[in-house]
């Protein structure tokens, strides 16, 4: 039997949705401090937890977070995955050019985990609990890409 | 909640690439359901849709669905969540006394039309995670899988066993989209990696499909069917948002949702009183995490449970005898599929997937990154 296929079209949307989200005072301060190779977090007055990136309220305590702290740029690898795929525009699944490592970094004295690329370590050598350090881009722009990756310390 | 609201009819259809439009799919599902029950659209007092705007590609995604569902200009509402929540909404409407019947309609065409990973990407924090571009549904699930395996010292072979259990059941079930006859843990282990340790066959497949379910009050149920399946309890709960602040090896929101549902159903020892579970585990490792939250097993015993066959169709406590979400995930209809499959089981109409004489079932639907939101229903005859 001949295989039946529906014909698909990709509808043309005659609009260009460009949004200018205000990042807010907290993320603005976080991004600006990246330019000085600093990682800034906020500390909860009630539970004492430190969050990086910063946010205005503690989710568990509903307390306003006013105390800014500069946090260490070292920590340990709390979790990792080796990506063999990427999600392209439209969240389309595609094969990655080559496998790459993502890590959840538990910075020293920080309670939330920071998601980052991990480099200079072979996938087979990855271990939870490995010591890690932040590596910065050479030219800093005060945006998300300034903190380039983490690597073994 | 004893015998107040019943599921009186279900209809479902799915495929990896369904050859019909979403409107035709909805028409076929609802018309089929009504023909089964011998009713007309005027017998439907209220309709709850479960659809997702991102996946349909327009705002108010149910806006053109009332016509094919036969309920144009009638009482209607919608949830932008998993279909289990639409079932709960319909149940509550009947409990209010204002409605005798509630039609639940849900569909998602994520097989080829749109990426099934899109809506989770859009649920990410727009000013951080979405900008970094590292987090997505799959990478998050991989972190969850690694945390789970490490916590109990399990190897990847547990993931292969869990997936093979579901996929083998799905291959027996003509209502499932992913059909892999003779699937073995070995074959699962040979499927390509997405994000380690997560492989393709540990994950749900992009799926087209939908379901229609009719709920009725006790009085109306007697007129419509001689095999009512009662909704005995329900509960839902949502976990905190950031995965970097969650312990991904547990599902406290599922635990809370289950506690409410079991209390309502008068169930104190679910592992003994529940005959089988239909759990929307989107990734293999989520099944034991959610089964633990439902009080059905200790996650630390998962290796033994899955390898001994306890979770199989003929096992002591079958989990996803239908094949579960690894057999198909037509977002957001997936929880509705679990409800419908559990209904067929309790009516003794599950064919090759039939569990022996089940009396009570627990159903879980989820939404959000790493099962952030969970809804639980207890069904019984
Ligand atoms: Zn706090």
């Amino acid at each position: 039997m001949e295989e039946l296929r529906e014909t698909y079209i990709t509808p043309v949307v005659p609009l260009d949705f460009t949004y200018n989200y205000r990042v807010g005072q907290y993320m603005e301060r976080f991004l600006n401090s990246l330019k000085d190779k600093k990682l800034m977090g906020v500390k909860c007055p009630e539970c004492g937890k430190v969050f990086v990136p910063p946010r205005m309220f503690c989710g568990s305590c509903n307390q306003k977070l006013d105390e800014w702290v500069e946090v260490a740029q070292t920590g340990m690898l709390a979790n990792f995955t080796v990506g063999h795929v990427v999600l392209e525009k439209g969240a389309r699944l595609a094969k990655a050019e080559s496998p790459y490592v993502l890590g959840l970094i538990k910075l020293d004295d920080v309670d939330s985990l920071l998601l980052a690329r991990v480099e200079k370590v072979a996938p087979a050598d990855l271990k939870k609990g490995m010591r890690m350090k932040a590596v910065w881009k050479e030219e800093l722009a005060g945006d998300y890409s300034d903190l380039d990756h983490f690597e073994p310390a | 909640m004893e015998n107040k609201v019943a599921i009186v009819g279900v209809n479902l259809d799915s495929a990896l690439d369904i050859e019909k439009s979403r409107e035709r799919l909805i028409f076929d599902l609802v018309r089929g359901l009504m023909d089964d029950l011998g009713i007309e659209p005027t017998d439907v007092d209220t309709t709850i849709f479960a659809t997702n705007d991102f996946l349909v590609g327009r705002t108010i995604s149910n806006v053109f669905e009332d016509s094919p569902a036969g309920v144009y200009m009638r009482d209607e509402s919608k949830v932008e969540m998993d279909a289990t929540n639409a079932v709960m909404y319909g149940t509550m409407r009947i409990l209010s006394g204002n409605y005798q019947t509630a039609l639940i309609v849900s569909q998602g065409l994520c097989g080829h039309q749109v990426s099934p990973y899109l809506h989770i990407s859009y649920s990410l924090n727009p000013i951080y995670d979405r900008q970094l571009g590292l987090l997505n549904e799959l990478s998050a699930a991989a972190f969850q899988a690694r945390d789970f395996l490490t916590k109990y010292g399990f190897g990847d072979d547990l993931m292969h066993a869990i997936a093979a259990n579901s996929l083998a059941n799905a291959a027996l079930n003509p209502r499932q989209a992913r059909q892999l006859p003779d699937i073995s843990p070995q074959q699962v282990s040979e499927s390509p990696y997405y994000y380690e340790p997560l492989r393709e066959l540990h994950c749900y497949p992009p799926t087209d499909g939908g379901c229609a379910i009719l709920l009725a009050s006790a009085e109306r149920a007697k007129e419509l069917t001689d095999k009512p399946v009662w909704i005995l309890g329900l509960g839902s709960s949502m976990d905190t948002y950031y995965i970097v602040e969650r312990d991904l090896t547990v599902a406290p929101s599922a635990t809370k949702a289950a506690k409410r549902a079991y209390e309502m159903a008068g169930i104190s020892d679910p592992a003994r009183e529940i005959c089988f579970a239909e759990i929307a585990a989107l990734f293999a490792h989520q099944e034991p995490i959610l089964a633990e939250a439902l009080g059905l097993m200790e996650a630390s015993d998962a290796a033994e449970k899955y390898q001994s066959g306890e979770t199989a169709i003929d096992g002591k406590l079958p989990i996803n005898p239908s094949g579960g979400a690894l057999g198909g995930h037509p977002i957001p209809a997936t929880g509705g599929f679990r409800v419908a499959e559990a209904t067929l089981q309790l009516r003794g109409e599950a064919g090759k997937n039939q569990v022996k004489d089940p009396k009570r079932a627990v159903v879980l639907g989820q939404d959000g990154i790493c099962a952030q939101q969970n809804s639980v229903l207890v069904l019984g005859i």
Side-chain angles (χ1 to χ4, degrees):
Chain A
M1 199 178 83
E2 195 182 338
E3 199 189 347
L4 285 169
R5 297 291 304 179
E6 282 202 50
T7 305
Y8 294 90
I9 58 149
T10 303
V12 176
V13 181
L15 296 163
D16 183 6
F17 292 106
T18 302
Y19 298 95
N20 296 304
Y21 284 178
R22 187 177 291 285
V23 297
Q25 311 157 33
Y26 277 48
M27 278 309 287
E28 197 173 317
R29 186 159 170 184
F30 176 77
L31 291 170
N32 280 334
S33 59
L34 293 179
K35 246 188 299 195
D36 305 322
K37 294 196 183 180
K38 281 183 182 169
L39 284 175
M40 298 300 292
V42 285
K43 186 172 181 176
C44 175
E46 194 158 315
C47 65
K49 283 186 177 166
V50 175
F51 302 99
V52 176
R55 76 199 39 190
M56 208 175 268
F57 284 88
C58 176
S60 340
C61 311
N62 197 27
Q63 289 287 320
K64 181 107 192 279
L65 305 178
D66 283 325
E67 188 187 340
W68 285 81
V69 284
E70 186 190 341
V71 302
Q73 300 184 13
T74 51
M76 63 102 171
L77 187 64
N79 200 334
F80 61 89
T81 181
V82 183
H84 295 255
V85 293
V86 289
L87 291 192
E88 295 181 329
K89 193 172 182 331
R92 294 275 175 193
L93 193 68
K95 207 169 180 308
E97 274 176 33
S98 56
Y100 58 98
V101 180
L102 299 179
L104 288 172
I105 314 291
K106 168 83 173 65
L107 293 168
D108 299 329
D109 308 322
V110 173
D111 294 279
S112 56
L113 302 174
L114 196 66
L115 176 61
R117 274 184 176 268
V118 171
E119 288 178 12
K120 301 246 167 73
V121 53
D125 297 333
L126 285 163
K127 259 206 193 86
K128 275 192 179 192
M130 284 175 92
R131 293 293 299 166
M132 292 273 140
K133 65 171 186 206
V135 179
W136 298 85
K137 272 236 165 69
E138 288 206 356
E139 282 190 31
L140 301 171
D143 70 24
Y144 298 94
S145 64
D146 284 354
L147 179 58
D148 193 64
H149 66 269
F150 278 78
E151 62 184 47
Chain B
M1 192 168 80
E2 210 165 310
N3 301 11
K4 286 184 177 155
V5 179
I7 298 166
V8 295
V10 299
N11 196 10
L12 61 171
D13 189 13
S14 73
L16 296 179
D17 188 3
I18 210 161
E19 288 177 355
K20 39 176 112 169
S21 68
R22 72 180 75 246
E23 290 75 15
R24 183 74 210 183
L25 173 66
I26 291 169
F27 175 82
D28 287 348
L29 288 168
V30 176
R31 189 67 257 176
L33 177 67
M34 287 180 178
D35 288 346
D36 279 354
L37 291 165
I39 61 170
E40 288 302 322
T42 46
D43 292 306
V44 173
D45 293 345
T46 185
T47 302
I48 315 291
F49 290 99
T51 54
N52 185 290
D53 293 3
F54 280 113
L55 299 175
V56 172
R58 61 182 172 230
T59 55
I60 322 176
S61 46
N62 59 318
V63 72
F64 299 122
E65 297 190 347
D66 47 1
S67 300
V71 295
Y72 179 60
M73 294 292 279
R74 306 285 304 285
D75 188 290
E76 174 217 329
S77 191
K78 177 210 174 183
V79 296
E80 183 90 10
M81 297 175 89
D82 180 75
T84 39
N85 298 283
V87 174
M88 288 191 186
Y89 194 169
T91 303
M92 288 187 275
R93 284 200 152 186
I94 290 173
L95 287 173
S96 76
N98 292 321
Y99 306 92
Q100 295 297 307
T101 56
L103 173 67
I104 312 303
V105 180
S106 183
Q107 56 75 27
L109 301 188
C110 320
H112 285 75
Q113 293 197 13
V114 68
S115 164
Y117 315 115
L118 188 73
H119 74 299
I120 295 289
S121 289
Y122 269 99
S123 76
L124 298 176
N125 174 353
I127 58 163
Y128 192 73
D129 288 315
R130 235 195 274 167
Q131 302 307 314
L132 281 185
L134 303 177
L135 196 63
N136 58 52
E137 183 177 8
L138 296 172
S139 60
F143 286 128
Q144 186 181 35
R146 167 115 34 220
D147 263 347
F148 170 72
L149 296 179
T150 313
K151 179 176 178 179
Y152 301 108
F154 293 139
D156 296 12
D157 53 337
L158 175 60
M159 306 259 291
H160 311 331
I162 297 169
N165 179 58
S166 271
L167 293 170
N169 295 349
L172 299 172
N173 185 347
R175 297 171 298 278
Q176 285 280 22
R178 190 192 243 160
Q179 293 290 332
L180 298 169
D182 310 316
I183 186 77
S184 65
Q186 172 75 17
Q187 261 173 286
V188 174
S189 77
E190 286 162 3
S191 66
Y193 273 129
Y194 281 173
Y195 287 90
E196 295 180 28
L198 216 54
R199 292 174 183 275
E200 183 184 352
L201 292 182
H202 297 142
C203 307
Y204 69 81
T207 312
D208 293 338
C211 61
I213 298 170
L214 193 75
L215 308 179
S217 64
E219 200 186 325
R220 192 79 177 93
K222 278 185 213 134
E223 299 163 7
L224 292 169
T225 179
D226 48 11
K227 284 187 190 173
V229 169
W230 301 101
I231 295 176
L232 303 175
L234 45 87
S236 74
S237 178
M238 187 165 328
D239 211 332
T240 187
Y241 171 74
Y242 285 101
I243 67 154
V244 294
E245 292 171 22
R246 281 167 59 188
D247 176 353
L248 298 175
T249 64
V250 287
S253 61
T255 307
K256 275 185 198 162
K259 189 166 177 285
R260 286 179 196 143
Y262 287 143
E263 265 173 25
M264 216 181 277
I267 285 178
S268 52
D269 185 357
R272 253 198 34 238
E273 294 173 68
I274 293 292
C275 306
F276 72 94
E278 280 290 334
I279 303 174
L282 308 187
F283 305 95
H285 64 273
Q286 287 183 350
E287 201 176 274
I289 294 174
L290 295 169
E292 178 179 70
L294 293 172
L296 304 178
M297 66 159 80
E298 297 292 329
S300 55
D301 296 338
E304 184 198 318
K305 300 269 179 196
Y306 282 92
Q307 268 132 25
S308 69
E310 202 172 299
T311 56
I313 292 170
D314 58 357
K316 204 171 111 204
L317 211 174
I319 296 184
N320 284 327
S322 71
L326 294 196
H329 181 35
I331 312 163
T334 310
F337 272 58
R338 304 283 71 75
V339 170
E341 290 286 356
T343 301
L344 294 173
Q345 288 281 359
L346 291 164
R347 294 201 310 211
E349 297 170 2
K352 288 181 183 165
N353 300 77
Q354 186 63 49
V355 167
K356 195 163 177 282
D357 296 332
K359 300 280 185 281
R360 294 267 184 285
V362 66
V363 172
L364 180 141
Q366 63 148 302
D367 217 329
I369 199 159
C370 291
Q372 185 199 359
Q373 192 272 328
N374 288 282
S375 298
V376 176
L377 291 151
V378 180
L379 308 181
I381 50 173

